[in-house]
């Protein structure tokens, strides 16, 4: 259990699966998916089965658009989680 998606990702290693439970997750900074993994050994950030979590940026224009989810690493999978109101 982690307090945020970003903290769960920070603790994850290649090959890990992060389940995200139902609800709206408000973010105020960048979630940077920047770990480099390989095919078959991905980090997967996914909705918990049967649930529909959302990530919502609280102020996407503040700080030059710092509220966002970035995919900068190889083989980082974001699946089943809606992203709204982000830069």
């Amino acid at each position: 259990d982690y307090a945020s998606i970003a903290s769960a990702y920070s603790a994850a290693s290649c090959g890990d699966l992060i389940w995200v439970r139902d609800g709206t997750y408000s973010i105020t900074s960048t979630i940077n998916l920047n770990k480099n993994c390989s095919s078959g050994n991905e980090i997967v950030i996914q909705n918990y089965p049967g649930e529909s979590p959302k990530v919502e940026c609280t102020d996407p224009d503040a700080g030059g658009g710092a509220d966002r989810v970035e995919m900068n690493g190889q083989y980082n999978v974001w699946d089943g989680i809606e992203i709204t109101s982000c830069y």
Side-chain angles (χ1 to χ4, degrees):
D1 291 334
Y2 292 90
S4 69
I5 295 170
S7 62
Y9 180 79
S10 291
S13 299
C14 295
D16 285 348
L17 169 63
I18 299 168
W19 290 117
V20 180
R21 299 302 306 247
D22 211 13
T24 299
Y25 297 82
S26 296
I27 62 171
T28 58
S29 61
T30 301
I31 297 176
N32 189 359
L33 308 178
N34 61 355
K35 296 180 181 180
N36 288 311
C37 298
S38 59
S39 180
N41 198 34
E42 303 89 353
I43 295 178
V44 178
I45 304 101
Q46 184 172 355
N47 64 305
Y48 192 81
E51 298 185 2
S52 301
K54 295 178 184 176
V55 168
E56 180 178 73
C57 296
T58 56
D59 190 359
D61 294 323
D67 295 5
R68 62 182 177 264
V69 178
E70 289 187 359
M71 300 286 278
N72 291 313
Q74 296 178 351
Y75 295 96
N76 290 258
V77 178
W78 184 276
D79 187 36
I81 305 166
E82 181 182 349
I83 301 172
T84 63
S85 303
C86 293
Y87 174 75

